[in-house]
Amino acid sequence: MANDAIQIDKRLVLHHASERHARYFLNAAKAHRNAWQWFDRERLQIEMAWERVRKQASSKSTLVIDCALTFEPFQSRRGLWREVVSWGERALQAAKAQKAKTIEAELLNNIGLALTNLGRLDEALERHRRGLQLQRELKNKRGEGHALGNIGAIHHRRGELRRAAEFYEKHLAIARKINDLRGEESALANLGLAHADLGDMSRALELYAQSLALCRKLQARQKEAMTLNNMGLAHANLGEVHRAIELHEQALVMFRKVGDRRGEANAQGNLGLAGYRLGDLRRAVDCFEQQLHIVREIGHRHSESNALGNLGLAYAELGELEKAIDFNERRLQLAAELGDRRGRAITLNNLGNVYRQLGEPQRAIEIFEEALHIHRQNNDRRRTGISLGNIGQACAALNEFSRAIEYYQQALAIMREIGDKRLEAMTAWKLGEAYENLGDLRQAAGFMQITVDYERAIGHRDAEQDALRLQSVRSKLQKP
């Protein structure tokens, strides 16, 4: 009996020591709220404390919940999405046992966002649907609207743009009904993004203007800067690149004023993309390097991945293909570390284009096919279409124009299905060129006309240049 009592006492002592260890880091985390460097230094100790708490905590203990919620912002900032999921799922068990539905809904939101970043979209959708159900049970209309927005974002990520817009509209309706101005602004911004991706830049800009007005009413300077950034991207897609630069520069100044380093990095990245579109590639590289420097400084690894990809694009356009390969390979490595399959597939598409430029279209096709496989697994319709179009381009480089047309037709069908007018127009032009190479000028002119009509409708600066090219094809048709 005495030995049993000693064993129980030892377990109690260890249990209390583990609790004290965990609570020490919980308190320290609150004191170092934005200090990711502190988290990196202490990460091993924090994870050791978590392991003990995870195993020892009773179903009534709130400690696992406190750990999951307190450390989630650090883990998300460092791209530790798998940890957010595993810690969150363990905390979810405790929240369910304690019938703490509000906490359960918060954890489901965090887990869903992390799964989205991991590209595990079906699992993310299931968590957000459970979160939506809980918010409805709790009669929390604000939370319900937020959950609908998250579900819309999953459909958006998959390229199911009209479905995404439906959920954003539902979020908007709830926000307006309960006078949730911040929720209304968020829903308007998301709707703007959906319409921009659908190729309807005029509608996107209308929605962004409404979002911007609310940001200014709420004096939400950070959100205002984000909206200016989005407006810049829409103007760039309209071919109004100088206007886009003005908006990105306004956003950059605002991000710096509010101390949002990640926003500053995004604005630099967008300025780089504007320079890329203008052919000012050295300026683009400079902006992308500043973007990379900032995200490394703040420790945001997901944004670091994007910056590496941007540099890969710029160096490819400069013809410095070895550098382009190096940056894309580095992004692939980082995507693997983050468990980011979507990021891997996007990078493979970029890498395939580099090998196509190097005159290795067959190797490019192999790389594009791996990207295509991942996008299909993720049910990402938009990027599936992009990969199919890339394979078509590589086939065209091999002078296999009939095969290229097969891939372009599949890509075009997807772009029409999801309603992406911009990518539909781009794919139609490639189809036109392939038919022209086969000597089928009537088909070529028909597809090229789709592109010209779209460019004229949105006022794109290339519209008349492409119209002249179309006229040249039509003139060949009229020759006996």
Side-chain angles (χ1 to χ4, degrees), residues 242-274:
H242 292 289
R243 176 62 179 145
I245 289 170
E246 289 173 12
L247 290 161
H248 293 317
E249 285 177 342
Q250 288 178 46
L252 181 62
V253 169
M254 204 169 289
F255 281 129
R256 284 173 173 164
K257 280 183 180 176
V258 299
D260 182 352
R261 296 285 280 156
R262 187 182 173 197
E264 183 183 344
N266 286 340
Q268 288 284 10
N270 288 336
L271 282 166
L273 290 170

Side-chain angles (χ1 to χ4, degrees), residues 148-161:
L148 287 165
N150 284 337
I151 292 170
I154 299 289
H155 289 291
H156 200 148
R157 191 83 172 251
R158 283 176 166 173
E160 298 163 2
L161 302 173

Side-chain angles (χ1 to χ4, degrees), residues 178-196:
I178 65 172
N179 198 31
D180 174 12
L181 294 183
R182 293 187 185 279
E184 182 180 352
E185 184 282 320
S186 177
L188 286 166
N190 285 335
L191 269 169
L193 290 169
H195 282 281

Side-chain angles (χ1 to χ4, degrees), residues 72-263:
E72 179 274 327
F74 294 98
Q75 292 166 332
S76 292
R77 186 164 182 175
R78 300 301 282 140
L80 302 172
W81 310 117
R82 283 169 285 204
E83 284 80 354
V84 173
V85 172
S86 61
W87 291 34
E89 292 287 2
R90 176 64 181 86
L92 203 55
Q93 295 170 14
K96 283 181 179 176
Q98 295 166 38
K99 295 184 170 52
K101 287 189 175 182
T102 301
I103 292 171
E104 193 179 339
E106 184 178 355
L107 288 165
L108 284 165
N109 175 71
N110 292 346
I111 294 166
L113 293 174
L115 287 166
T116 300
N117 281 306
L118 286 167
R120 291 158 59 182
L121 301 183
D122 289 340
E123 295 171 75
L125 189 58
E126 187 270 337
R127 301 309 191 282
H128 286 313
R129 282 174 174 162
R130 281 165 57 190
L132 175 62
Q133 183 182 343
L134 277 172
Q135 298 292 4
R136 285 172 171 165
E137 288 174 16
L138 291 162
K139 295 184 169 39
N140 181 355
K141 298 302 285 183
R142 191 188 301 268
E144 180 184 346
H146 186 68
L148 287 165
N150 284 337
I151 292 170
I154 299 289
H155 289 291
H156 200 148
R157 191 83 172 251
R158 283 176 166 173
E160 298 163 2
L161 302 173
R162 296 196 185 283
R163 188 80 173 125
E166 288 172 17
F167 280 95
Y168 296 150
E169 290 280 8
K170 288 176 183 177
H171 182 194
L172 181 62
I174 288 174
R176 284 177 169 166
K177 187 174 182 179
I178 65 172
N179 198 31
D180 174 12
L181 294 183
R182 293 187 185 279
E184 182 180 352
E185 184 282 320
S186 177
L188 286 166
N190 285 335
L191 269 169
L193 290 169
H195 282 281
D197 284 341
L198 282 164
D200 189 350
M201 298 303 154
S202 297
R203 180 61 179 146
L205 285 167
E206 288 173 12
L207 290 159
Y208 291 148
Q210 293 178 57
S211 167
L212 190 65
L214 276 175
C215 290
R216 287 170 175 166
K217 182 176 181 178
L218 292 163
Q219 296 186 332
R221 303 287 282 169
Q222 183 185 33
K223 286 277 194 175
E224 182 179 347
M226 290 169 68
T227 303
L228 289 168
N229 244 349
N230 290 337
M231 292 175 84
L233 292 171
H235 280 286
N237 283 325
L238 286 168
E240 300 166 1
V241 184
H242 292 289
R243 176 62 179 145
I245 289 170
E246 289 173 12
L247 290 161
H248 293 317
E249 285 177 342
Q250 288 178 46
L252 181 62
V253 169
M254 204 169 289
F255 281 129
R256 284 173 173 164
K257 280 183 180 176
V258 299
D260 182 352
R261 296 285 280 156
R262 187 182 173 197

Side-chain angles (χ1 to χ4, degrees), residues 421-437:
K421 296 290 186 185
R422 185 173 67 88
L423 287 179
E424 178 188 346
M426 289 171 66
T427 307
W429 189 265
K430 291 171 190 171
L431 259 170
E433 289 180 325
Y435 275 113
E436 184 183 15
N437 278 301

Side-chain angles (χ1 to χ4, degrees), residues 375-394:
H375 288 314
R376 279 177 167 162
Q377 280 188 325
N378 287 344
N379 196 23
D380 186 335
R381 297 294 288 156
R382 186 166 181 266
R383 293 196 179 278
T384 294
I386 290 170
S387 294
L388 288 164
N390 284 340
I391 296 172
Q393 277 191 285

